[in-house]
Amino acid sequence: EMESGNYKYSDSPSQGKKEILLDALGNVPLKLYDVNFDNVDDIAKKSWTPQMHLTDEEREVVEAKGTVLLLGRSGTGKTICICNRIEYDRQRLGHKPNFSQLFVSRSSQLCRYVKDAVGSFEGISFTTFDKLVSHLIESPLSQVINGNFRPRQYVNFARFNQDFYTERYPQENVSALIVWKSIRTFLKGSIEAFQTSTGLLSKEYFIHPKKLGKNRCKISLEMRDIVYDIFLQYQLWMNEGHLWDDCDRILAVLKGMQDAKKSHSSAYDEQIKKSKLYVDEVQDYTQLEILMFFYIGGGPGALFLAGDPAQSVVEGTDFRFEEVRSVGYFVAGSERRHLIPEKPKTVNVNFRSHAGVLNCAGGFLDLLFGYFPGGAKQLKKDFGLFKGARPGVFHHVQVQQLSTLLREKMPGAVVLTHDESASRWKKMLGHKLVYGIREAKGLEFKSVVILDFFAEIPSSLQKPWRNLLLNREGSDFELRYPLVETHLKLVYTAVTRCIEQLFFAETSSSAAGDAAVRWLTTNMHTKDQANSESLATINNVRELESMTMSNDEFCVVGIDNAELAESSDIKLHQARSYLDRAIYCFHEAQNSELVAKAQVQVQSVQLREKLIRIDSPIAKDAMEMIEREATQVLKSLLRENLLMECMNLLSLIAPILSSYTQQKLDDCITSRIQHVLSE
């Protein structure tokens, strides 16, 4: 669609934008782009990307004033709205002195996607949340932050459950997840806790029947008393071991930001404060973390927050958009109520998947809303706009059969599993494209196999899951089995990664798995059983037709994985895993040049792993060998134009070199690469 104008962002009046055109090949809504006549010269540039054409509801979101809260299910264009809002703000405000923008996500993939869509220009930066927090601690706030946050002393849910809760409360009736969620969401991670002198919510406040409403805190008053006593013991355990959790670190950052704002106001404005801040997947953050966003944005009116509580899969985060508004009330104060965020705006058109996939996702959402009514905000029914094949189910499929199927008929299909099982399944199947569900969040794939999701549910929850699916559970299910809410959000997230072809595969019999197959392949999912069809169909592996991807499609998937391997936010073993997938895809695409490029990147990652393991002075002979190896790898990286990987390797090799060699490297290579990357 060609439109006149001076900017990429199209601000012409919308006409007929409620109509949605069908992509006949993908059987999903057609994605349209706005291109104006001033873009003619830009079209020839490989780096140029046109702006998405907006529907009426998307335009309303993008042009909304003040702090914007955006709610939408998976694939409905939330990230596209963020990209257009970034461009919209830049056009309106980019001429102002010191105007700056920051995009934040927990996923390095999302950061890369938004950066590619928006483009790089002066004043904008893109970062993951962990990288942002580390940056604040290590540089701008290093002089005013109290606390030492060594990685070895970090406590996440797995460590809390194994080292503290299971050891001390083996017979306790309260679920470990309920305690952990209470700690992160209320006792340490709430805006009320932040306002206390200790940063901890008092017992009187927590157990008071009117302080935390029943919709916000769904734990009974009797159980709250028990939870708080466990929390006190947890704090003692943490203090004795000099341990810390996410809430401790964020609290230290917030206090440091307050101090810096008072004592180093100019440095605060230059190094921390941003004119506009954009956050995707906001459902994965606590109130404390959201407060940090408000501080970085300089207060209400500077934020654009998008998310979907149905995809909140971070243990211990019980998110509602109302909690964001509560933080806004705190920041705005009594005299600036007009700056408090309005209720969330919504987007509903799904641009990713067809009806077959989305109706299945909607079935799991019905279970979530029915048994965990506060688990996510209920929107319009998650039906697809266009018809498509229902998911298939492989019941009691043998691992060897599935491996053969993936090798011979579905070489480009992505297998999704519980995150802790992904590496094991990758080896068992001999298939490179295996992802954990949390790892795959924010990604999308043409064909997806959800493998042993129900069989690998913990044994203590097999019977509750069976009763849930067969509609045999009572009204107190939410309190007795809170982890099932997380499982429902996980399976919903897994289903909505799929664009076209979706399969459930269960390799062994289990109470939850057998019930899930029955629930999926009959009309048990609905009360109107006479006028409905099943969500999925039983499939025979031997009768499945070939579902290969084109060479171009394999190249796209391979490039995605290779670029993820360059991220500084992931561990090196994860980088190797991404590169293994990339090499597999490039082989399938018969692209020897990309195979060679990825193999060079693997050599660099392996050398970086070797350098990290060095913890003592290096002998002269060993140093010479390292230098020779590094020289060869750097030459190969430069030849393949892998500049980001060059920088990653140089950052590790430089500290162990002589001052003279470091200076030469900086003059001849590092500074030049930095110049190229900054262009």
Side-chain angles (χ1 to χ4, degrees), residues 124-251:
I124 189 168
S125 52
F126 310 84
T127 184
T128 62
F129 179 74
D130 285 341
K131 195 171 182 180
L132 172 64
V133 175
S134 297
H135 167 72
L136 290 172
I137 291 175
E138 293 168 5
S139 47
L141 302 178
S142 58
Q143 302 301 316
V144 291
I145 282 187
N146 294 318
N148 195 331
F149 303 101
R150 295 189 178 94
R152 291 182 181 179
Q153 295 168 311
Y154 172 61
V155 177
N156 57 12
F157 174 66
R159 186 171 183 179
F160 164 82
N161 189 25
Q162 180 177 333
D163 295 352
F164 171 77
Y165 198 78
T166 303
E167 288 287 329
R168 301 192 179 204
Y169 302 95
Q171 305 298 323
E172 184 58 67
N173 292 326
V174 181
S175 163
L177 185 62
I178 284 182
V179 178
W180 183 249
K181 185 178 290 187
S182 299
I183 292 171
R184 277 180 53 86
T185 304
F186 305 114
L187 302 177
K188 296 178 75 171
S190 66
I191 194 66
E192 293 88 351
F194 178 74
Q195 295 176 69
T196 67
S197 59
T198 61
L200 307 176
L201 201 65
S202 69
K203 184 173 185 178
E204 291 73 23
Y205 195 103
F206 185 57
I207 66 175
H208 196 287
K210 295 183 179 180
K211 294 295 186 181
L212 298 173
K214 63 178 181 180
N215 290 330
R216 184 180 176 193
C217 181
K218 297 178 282 291
I219 306 171
S220 67
L221 296 179
E222 295 77 12
M223 191 178 291
R224 292 186 201 185
D225 196 63
I226 298 172
V227 166
Y228 201 90
D229 289 342
I230 296 173
F231 164 63
L232 293 178
Q233 293 302 312
Y234 168 70
Q235 285 297 107
L236 286 174
W237 175 72
M238 294 270 285
N239 292 335
E240 290 170 359
H242 304 288
L243 306 174
W244 60 276
D245 57 26
D246 286 324
C247 293
D248 296 322
R249 186 173 64 160
I250 297 301
L251 180 63

Side-chain angles (χ1 to χ4, degrees), residues 417-488:
T417 72
H418 289 276
D419 288 71
E420 56 271 19
S421 303
S423 59
R424 175 172 61 86
W425 277 115
K426 187 182 295 185
K427 293 177 182 177
M428 290 177 65
L429 294 172
H431 188 65
K432 298 294 185 182
L433 303 181
V434 179
Y435 294 75
I437 296 172
R438 289 186 174 89
E439 178 190 9
K441 192 177 175 186
L443 307 179
E444 57 183 39
F445 311 103
K446 182 177 180 180
S447 301
V448 171
V449 178
I450 300 174
L451 177 57
D452 268 4
F453 180 87
F454 299 99
E456 293 187 357
I457 286 172
S459 58
S460 61
L461 294 176
Q462 284 286 325
K463 187 176 179 180
W465 254 99
R466 181 195 67 188
N467 293 340
L468 170 78
L469 292 165
L470 301 182
N471 198 25
R472 298 174 181 172
E473 280 294 345
S475 58
D476 60 344
F477 187 84
E478 178 180 14
L479 292 176
R480 289 188 291 128
Y481 307 110
L483 190 57
V484 174
E485 178 185 344
T486 301
H487 290 159
L488 282 167

Side-chain angles (χ1 to χ4, degrees), residues 446-678:
K446 182 177 180 180
S447 301
V448 171
V449 178
I450 300 174
L451 177 57
D452 268 4
F453 180 87
F454 299 99
E456 293 187 357
I457 286 172
S459 58
S460 61
L461 294 176
Q462 284 286 325
K463 187 176 179 180
W465 254 99
R466 181 195 67 188
N467 293 340
L468 170 78
L469 292 165
L470 301 182
N471 198 25
R472 298 174 181 172
E473 280 294 345
S475 58
D476 60 344
F477 187 84
E478 178 180 14
L479 292 176
R480 289 188 291 128
Y481 307 110
L483 190 57
V484 174
E485 178 185 344
T486 301
H487 290 159
L488 282 167
K489 291 179 178 180
L490 271 176
V491 72
Y492 170 76
T493 301
V495 169
T496 53
R497 298 310 92 205
C498 178
I499 299 173
E500 292 184 18
Q501 299 159 331
L502 175 65
F503 298 91
F504 292 87
E506 293 287 312
T507 62
S508 59
S509 182
S510 66
D514 294 347
V517 171
R518 182 179 170 188
W519 181 80
L520 284 165
T521 58
T522 66
N523 54 9
M524 290 187 63
H525 66 281
T526 178
K527 295 179 180 179
D528 187 16
Q529 298 186 4
N531 299 306
S532 64
E533 63 179 6
S534 64
L535 295 173
T537 61
I538 289 286
N539 287 77
N540 189 322
V541 172
R542 297 185 182 88
E543 296 175 358
L544 200 65
E545 295 182 2
S546 181
M547 298 180 181
T548 57
M549 293 199 304
S550 68
N551 285 355
D552 285 350
E553 289 172 324
F554 269 116
C555 277
V556 169
V557 176
I559 290 170
D560 281 344
N561 279 278
E563 290 181 340
L564 281 171
E566 289 185 326
S567 171
S568 59
D569 300 312
I570 63 172
K571 297 179 180 178
L572 291 179
H573 75 272
Q574 293 174 305
R576 279 192 287 108
S577 181
Y578 282 126
L579 288 170
D580 285 344
R581 293 171 184 149
I583 291 171
Y584 166 78
C585 291
F586 296 148
H587 272 302
E588 293 294 323
Q590 300 178 359
N591 192 316
S592 57
E593 291 183 4
L594 290 178
V595 169
K597 186 184 289 283
Q599 288 174 337
V600 169
Q601 198 170 345
V602 168
Q603 292 175 14
S604 178
V605 170
Q606 290 173 335
L607 178 55
R608 284 201 281 150
E609 288 180 309
K610 184 188 299 184
L611 292 171
I612 285 177
R613 288 195 293 268
I614 296 175
D615 57 0
S616 58
I618 307 170
K620 183 178 180 181
D621 292 345
M623 190 67 234
E624 289 177 353
M625 290 180 61
I626 291 174
E627 288 182 0
R628 282 197 297 269
E629 183 179 359
T631 300
Q632 292 301 316
V633 173
L634 284 169
K635 286 172 62 177
S636 298
L637 290 171
L638 290 170
R639 185 175 62 249
E640 297 292 346
N641 202 34
L642 293 169
L643 301 186
M644 187 62 71
E645 182 59 37
C646 271
M647 293 300 296
N648 290 336
L649 179 56
L650 285 168
S651 66
L652 282 178
I653 191 71
I656 64 174
L657 301 175
S658 66
S659 300
Y660 174 80
T661 307
Q662 287 184 41
Q663 187 61 49
K664 283 294 183 181
L665 270 177
D666 187 59
D667 293 342
C668 299
I669 299 179
T670 307
S671 59
R672 296 184 181 184
I673 294 176
Q674 289 174 335
H675 176 71
V676 172
L677 291 175
S678 64

Side-chain angles (χ1 to χ4, degrees), residues 25 67 71 98 122-123 148 151 230 255 287 291 312 319 336 346 384 438 485 530 610 627 631 666:
L25 296 178
T67 287
L71 169 61
N98 302 319
E122 186 177 357
N148 195 331
I230 296 173
K255 297 295 186 184
Q287 281 190 313
L291 178 60
S312 179
F319 178 88
R336 298 188 297 168
T346 60
R438 289 186 174 89
E485 178 185 344
K610 184 188 299 184
E627 288 182 0
T631 300
D666 187 59

